[in-house]
Amino acid sequence: MGTGVRRRMGVEERRQQLIGVALELFSKRSPEEVSIDEIASRAGISRPLVYHYFPGKLSLYEAALRRAAEDLSSRFTEPHEGPLGTRLRRVMARFFDFVEEHGPGFSALMRGGPAVGSSTTNALVDSVRQAAYEQMLAHMGVVGPAPARLELVVRSWISLVESTALIWLDGRRVPREELETQLVQDFAALAAVAAARDEELATLLRGLVKQEPGDGPFTDLAARLISLAGE
């Protein structure tokens, strides 16, 4: 049987525990609906002790966002092997895993919340977008500065993924797996339109398309477009 004595945590261990508790609560409800009292109760400590580690809910919220941002950034990491369409399909699956796990928190961050507009929050959001951008270039084998049109395509697509996820959270009216494939195909479509005006980008895309299997998302998109044109 246990002794019933609660183990005393070190400073950093307690901070990490509070961040974990806050992230779990902020993932299920908007930050405005979560109180310091609730965080303290979940952590098994007093309200004043929470303030010993964090000066207020905003600082704790930002710390939780920092952990979430690191997690979200890692979702775009993928071995640079195999067809691009297949890789992006796995990336989108991991991204929507995060969106489902942290729906209210993700929505609050993107649409507005107690920390939105702060320099810390803006920096965290920008770091996720930049990490996604750099991973996308790496997936395409681009080293160094991206061609101007490719940068527009990638950054526009990242914004599209964010906004699509927010709309999907409202009612989930489109099956998630279909939406993940659609977003991969959206990237292919945006890149193809830009490549029609940029030979450097067109050469890059030709090399990537040659690696696509017959049942991949890019090939499926091409078949659907051909079918539409023939009707």
Side-chain angles (χ1 to χ4, degrees):
M1 295 179 63
T3 62
V5 177
R6 182 176 297 172
R7 183 173 66 85
R8 184 180 180 87
M9 291 186 181
V11 173
E12 186 56 29
E13 186 179 7
R14 178 67 77 184
R15 279 180 56 84
Q16 293 304 315
Q17 181 213 21
L18 287 170
I19 291 171
V21 168
L23 181 57
E24 180 182 359
L25 292 172
F26 292 143
S27 295
K28 295 176 180 177
R29 304 203 306 278
S30 64
E32 293 90 340
E33 299 173 344
V34 178
S35 69
I36 289 292
D37 287 333
E38 185 175 6
I39 294 170
S41 176
R42 287 289 189 94
I45 62 176
S46 66
R47 175 189 175 96
L49 193 54
V50 175
Y51 286 109
H52 174 73
Y53 294 99
F54 294 93
K57 188 169 74 170
L58 178 58
S59 64
L60 183 51
Y61 179 55
E62 289 177 344
L65 286 181
R66 185 173 291 105
R67 181 181 290 184
E70 293 170 355
D71 182 4
L72 184 55
S73 296
S74 72
R75 307 290 172 121
F76 286 85
T77 302
E78 175 77 20
H80 301 155
E81 302 171 355
L84 177 62
T86 303
R87 281 182 268 153
L88 294 187
R89 186 65 179 74
R90 288 195 292 264
V91 167
M92 286 295 94
R94 287 196 300 271
F95 176 84
F96 274 89
D97 282 344
F98 181 94
V99 171
E100 281 204 307
E101 292 164 10
H102 305 284
F106 177 84
S107 181
L109 174 61
M110 296 301 173
R111 287 181 169 152
V116 171
S118 75
S119 58
T120 299
T121 304
N122 290 340
L124 288 172
V125 174
D126 287 344
S127 72
V128 173
R129 290 170 177 157
Q130 184 62 26
Y133 172 73
E134 292 172 359
Q135 282 294 326
M136 286 298 296
L137 294 186
H139 282 305
M140 301 183 74
V142 176
V143 179
R149 283 196 173 89
L150 179 58
E151 180 176 2
L152 287 173
V153 166
V154 175
R155 294 196 186 278
S156 297
W157 180 72
I158 291 169
S159 295
L160 175 63
V161 170
E162 287 179 9
S163 59
T164 298
L166 287 171
I167 295 169
W168 180 77
L169 278 172
D170 275 344
R172 309 190 185 199
R173 292 179 295 172
V174 177
R176 176 183 148 175
E177 289 189 1
E178 290 183 15
L179 194 60
E180 291 167 2
T181 299
Q182 178 181 315
L183 284 167
V184 173
Q185 293 175 336
D186 285 339
F187 177 77
L190 287 170
V193 170
R197 295 168 172 79
D198 188 316
E199 184 55 36
E200 181 182 5
L201 180 53
T203 300
L204 174 63
L205 288 183
R206 288 189 194 102
L208 293 170
V209 169
K210 287 180 181 178
Q211 302 174 28
E212 293 297 316
D215 59 350
F218 291 175
T219 309
D220 176 65
L221 173 61
R224 290 175 184 272
L225 291 175
I226 291 171
S227 175
L228 285 174
E231 292 181 357

